[in-house]
Amino acid sequence: MARLVKVFKTLRNNWKKTVFGTIALTYGVQYGLHSYECRQMMRAYCEAAREIGETAMPADTRPRHVTVVLNPAANKRKAKKEFDEYCAPLLHLAGLSVNLLVTVKEGQARTLVEKLEEATDAIIVAGGDGTLSEASFIFLSSSFLSSSLQNLTVHFLPFKAVTGLFRRPDGFDTARKIPFGVLPLGKTNSVAKHLFSESADDHIRHLAEATMAVIFEVTRPLDVIKFQVIPTNKSVNDEGKPVYGLVGLEWGAFRDANARKDKYWYFGGLKSYASYIFTGLKDESKGVTWKAQANVEYTKPCEGCSKCYGERFDLHPEKALSKSWWSSFGKRQPGPTTKNFDYRQKLNEECNQVNLMPVKTTDFSLLSTNVLNNVDSKVPHLKLSYGPEEFSYEDFIKEGFRRENGESPLRTASILAKEVKLYPIESSAQFNLPESIDNNEGEGKEVKKEVERWISIDNEDYEVKAVHALLLPNLIKVFGPLKGQIN
């Protein structure tokens, strides 16, 4: 007992060392437990991949060959190590022949893919959004796609490539045949975050599930939104080319705060919270949209009828069968677009009926079901949501913090639609901003100048204009998570 009392006295007299030792010991135990859990999880994934690799192949079938374009600088130069530890073993155990191409400078991913000569069954882009954009650019050129399409069965493209793909003359037919995917080794992976949302918080499981989706060729359909600028001046043709997205459109003060996060990089991990704190202090003269006003025209969702049959590719009868070589030993799985009902015989009087609605809000969004949770309706639709007209400074910060913590946005109203036309009402308010003038008489004079306002389409900034959003249901196939978790 005396010895125990002596130990406690020593710890009390050296309390600084005691606190430091306790923290270090706690961290070490947690790190050890996490490492053990990761090893057990990877063992389960490796066993599943090994079963595929040990399956006998038909005599006239060659092993799958995949080419991996890896950016080792992604995620603070951790990408190469993580690929070797968590992705490459699964690909090799599954019997895939892997050709690894490592980039050594910016822009080289595009060059490596462009000069790829040997036949391959898959192109896997391992990195962040930047690497994906580089490597996918070459797929959008007609020369490469036409010459290599017969040898490529899988392409890995990001959201940004969707627009380029659908601008091609054969873009819609190509999108229905070729699945999309991503291997999330970068710091920002918008595509994988939406596809593998259940494992997005666990980086290692995130990588493993994305790799297993490649091995099992697990695909799921996703909706596409076509955005087209509506000309407001008949004398000027500002329609431009359409933009295609998979997420949706956002407009308002919360969008502006989200777009300003990188400006507060010096706050480190707290930069997202700092963005809401400082954005809430700015008014519209600083480019923050506190009053998003628009007239909205929309049509209600339609399950399918004679009016929308022509523009709905998902209503056309089609049977997409799995072409995995191991599917020869089991039952082939039907594709997601198998339709037997002839919707040309169905009538729906409300299909193209236009509804009008004015909107005045601080937070406006038009999202696809690709990124929505708890979708009740089975009818393909877009969800138009908007929040209150005004937010106090405290409520704005509180709501922003809620969203950063993963909670759903609080929006007061929502409408389901298949087609939306947004006509923003330009603010008549002009702000006195200082502007340099050459002559001495006007020196120091303040002139009225309009402030640019922005919307986001799939997290890309666009100038606020009248826009037409059209839903194209189940238009593309992407590699998604396995139906059953591997434990």
Side-chain angles (χ1 to χ4, degrees), residues 137-413:
F137 178 84
I138 193 63
F139 290 121
L140 306 182
S141 63
S142 57
S143 59
F144 179 85
L145 190 59
S146 60
S147 63
S148 302
L149 188 58
Q150 57 184 348
N151 295 326
L152 294 176
T153 58
V154 181
H155 295 276
F156 282 74
L157 303 175
F159 286 150
K160 297 178 182 178
V162 173
T163 296
L165 176 65
F166 286 113
R167 285 179 179 176
R168 290 173 42 84
D170 59 345
F172 285 87
D173 292 334
T174 304
R176 300 178 69 195
K177 298 175 182 178
I178 302 176
F180 296 77
V182 58
L183 198 59
L185 283 167
K187 185 177 180 180
T188 56
N189 300 279
S190 303
V191 180
K193 183 178 179 180
H194 295 306
L195 293 178
F196 304 93
S197 57
E198 294 183 0
S199 62
D201 295 333
D202 189 336
H203 182 58
I204 297 177
R205 182 180 291 273
H206 204 191
L207 293 174
E209 288 195 1
T211 307
M212 295 303 294
V214 176
I215 295 172
F216 284 101
E217 296 186 82
V218 180
T219 60
R220 52 168 288 192
L222 284 187
D223 299 337
V224 175
I225 310 175
K226 177 183 177 182
F227 295 96
Q228 180 75 57
V229 173
I230 302 175
T232 54
N233 189 346
K234 296 182 179 180
S235 61
V236 180
N237 184 15
D238 59 351
E239 183 176 2
K241 295 182 179 180
V243 174
Y244 296 86
L246 301 179
V247 180
L249 178 150
E250 292 184 309
W251 181 28
F254 289 96
R255 185 224 76 91
D256 296 334
N258 186 61
R260 294 167 179 257
K261 290 179 181 179
D262 290 338
K263 293 184 178 180
Y264 304 101
W265 57 268
Y266 41 84
F267 284 95
L270 300 177
K271 65 179 181 180
S272 299
Y273 299 95
S275 180
Y276 288 101
I277 294 175
F278 290 105
T279 301
L281 297 173
K282 301 180 184 296
D283 55 23
E284 293 213 356
S285 65
K286 302 297 183 180
V288 180
T289 306
W290 292 105
K291 296 180 180 179
Q293 302 181 59
N295 292 321
V296 177
E297 297 180 1
Y298 69 94
T299 58
K300 295 181 179 180
C302 178
E303 183 181 6
C305 67
S306 57
K307 294 183 179 180
C308 59
Y309 181 84
E311 61 188 26
R312 289 275 300 274
F313 292 94
D314 60 315
L315 300 181
H316 299 182
E318 178 184 9
K319 290 185 178 180
L321 299 180
S322 172
K323 297 183 180 180
S324 306
W325 59 264
W326 55 80
S327 62
S328 303
F329 301 92
K331 183 179 179 180
R332 289 176 177 260
Q333 299 297 324
T337 56
T338 302
K339 299 286 183 180
N340 296 321
F341 183 79
D342 188 1
Y343 286 93
R344 289 172 292 185
Q345 307 300 324
K346 184 177 180 179
L347 298 178
N348 182 6
E349 297 298 334
E350 296 183 352
C351 179
N352 292 326
Q353 183 176 349
V354 179
N355 300 275
L356 305 178
M357 178 184 65
V359 173
K360 184 178 181 181
T361 180
T362 307
D363 181 28
F364 179 91
S365 71
L366 180 66
L367 302 177
S368 70
T369 55
N370 299 336
V371 294
L372 295 176
N373 298 323
N374 303 322
V375 179
D376 297 328
S377 176
K378 295 182 179 180
V379 180
H381 64 271
L382 299 172
K383 186 175 183 180
L384 188 158
S385 306
Y386 54 93
E389 293 186 13
E390 296 181 355
F391 267 97
S392 65
Y393 178 66
E394 293 78 9
D395 291 339
F396 178 76
I397 295 178
K398 186 184 299 183
E399 173 64 10
F401 284 13
R402 284 185 65 262
R403 300 186 183 190
E404 290 301 321
N405 293 331
E407 299 184 37
S408 300
L410 291 177
R411 297 187 173 111
T412 55

Side-chain angles (χ1 to χ4, degrees), residues 13 29 34 42 47-48 53-54 71 78 95 132 201 205 226 253 258 278 316 345 369 408 416 475 477:
N13 295 334
V29 171
H34 179 70
M42 286 302 301
E47 289 291 336
E54 293 180 350
N71 177 15
K78 298 178 182 178
L132 286 166
D201 295 333
R205 182 180 291 273
K226 177 183 177 182
N258 186 61
F278 290 105
H316 299 182
Q345 307 300 324
T369 55
S408 300
L416 303 185
L475 188 58
K477 293 185 295 183

